[in-house]
Amino acid sequence: MTETQEILARLFALQDVKYGDFHSKLVPGLARERIIGVRTPALRKLAAELCGCQEGRAQARDFLACLPHQYYEENNLHGLLIGRLAQDAAEALTLTDRFLPYVDNWATCDLLPPKIFQKDLPLVRKTITPWLASGQTYRVRFAIVTMLSFMLEEEFAPADLTLLANLQTEEYYINMAIAWYYSFALIKQYEQTIGLFEAQSLGKWVHNKSIQKALESYRIPPERKEYLRSLRRK
């Protein structure tokens, strides 16, 4: 049995068929037979176990080298292992760059950005900014989710707001990520962000979806929510 086959066997040992049936509805476009049915906490535990010893880490690195994977959970485990195996942000970016062409759904994509990116956010910004123009749905979404996760506080740059406003696309999963980003920008950088909505600088769908998501947050005070409601476009 190869290292990859051994890991796959461990994934099937964690299978919950009913959970797989339920979860398949959350990732439309992904064939049900590609979903084993493993809960994310179990995947995280497996990733930790694999990286808990030298032998396991070697096995995990062999697994990362075997692309493409067949199953959804293999891809999710791959993403979790990047965060545990990478020695620094540069290696994490290299491993992610190699993996992104095989990412085919929003859930795997959003699981990817590892905490180790925080060690060198200027390098992360320099690397992912060109990815926004790649035309690859999940590479673009990954860049946006990374900006949302790591670049709305100390690393915030007002130019990011305009950069994403100029990203014109009909791809639902990209536009949803943009709206998600702006909803967090309205929470964390309200004064810098509100002008985009007052000027109607965003596409109508992204504009309204961003406001909708922001209104769902408990971190925006009632008076701001009332103003945001007045900015919704008909």
Side-chain angles (χ1 to χ4, degrees):
M1 182 180 292
T2 67
E3 306 288 7
T4 299
Q5 289 171 332
E6 183 177 334
I7 288 176
L8 186 57
R10 294 182 69 174
L11 287 172
F12 270 98
L14 298 169
Q15 184 179 44
D16 181 335
V17 175
K18 289 185 178 180
Y19 175 74
D21 291 340
F22 164 76
H23 195 72
S24 67
K25 299 173 184 177
L26 303 180
V27 280
L30 199 65
R32 174 63 184 91
E33 58 266 23
R34 289 190 54 213
I35 299 175
I36 299 170
V38 182
R39 297 174 185 272
T40 300
L43 286 174
R44 293 188 186 279
K45 183 178 179 182
L46 176 57
E49 289 174 358
L50 286 169
C51 296
C53 64
Q54 185 174 350
E55 181 181 353
R57 292 175 72 86
Q59 185 180 23
R61 285 198 175 275
D62 286 343
F63 177 76
L64 294 190
C66 293
L67 286 168
H69 302 303
Q70 180 178 357
Y71 292 99
Y72 167 72
E73 285 85 354
E74 287 182 288
N75 282 331
N76 287 357
L77 180 62
H78 190 122
L80 293 171
L81 289 173
I82 287 175
R84 288 186 171 275
L85 290 173
Q87 298 297 304
D88 51 32
E91 184 181 8
L93 286 164
T94 297
L95 292 171
T96 300
D97 182 36
R98 181 172 181 270
F99 180 49
L100 280 172
Y102 304 98
V103 173
D104 58 4
N105 67 89
W106 68 267
T108 301
C109 180
D110 295 0
L111 193 66
L112 274 173
K115 292 181 180 179
I116 200 167
F117 277 0
Q118 294 173 323
K119 300 292 186 180
D120 195 344
L121 287 174
L123 175 63
V124 172
R125 178 185 292 281
K126 179 181 178 181
T127 303
I128 69 169
T129 298
W131 293 359
L132 292 168
S134 68
Q136 301 170 31
T137 297
Y138 293 108
R139 184 177 292 273
V140 176
R141 184 179 171 104
F142 172 83
I144 298 166
V145 172
T146 299
M147 292 168 68
L148 183 161
S149 301
F150 299 106
M151 299 176 186
L152 276 174
E153 295 183 78
E154 291 84 357
E155 190 65 19
F156 175 70
D160 290 346
L161 299 171
T162 304
L163 182 65
L164 293 188
N166 292 333
L167 190 58
Q168 301 297 318
T169 177
E170 297 298 320
E171 286 286 348
Y172 172 82
Y173 289 107
I174 294 177
N175 281 329
M176 194 68 210
I178 295 172
W180 188 21
Y181 171 89
Y182 282 119
S183 72
F184 272 75
L186 286 167
I187 295 167
K188 297 183 177 182
Q189 300 290 344
Y190 179 84
E191 299 297 338
Q192 298 272 16
T193 307
I194 192 62
L196 285 173
F197 292 86
E198 294 170 333
Q200 298 189 0
S201 300
L202 307 174
K204 181 180 176 180
W205 189 91
V206 169
H207 177 105
N208 286 337
K209 182 61 71 172
S210 301
I211 291 175
Q212 175 192 326
K213 300 302 289 184
L215 291 174
E216 293 171 359
S217 173
Y218 66 88
R219 288 179 285 178
I220 293 182
E223 61 273 16
R224 284 187 177 175
K225 286 188 176 182
E226 191 61 31
Y227 183 53
L228 285 171
R229 288 189 185 95
S230 75
L231 294 176
R232 288 184 292 200
R233 292 161 62 182
K234 296 182 180 178

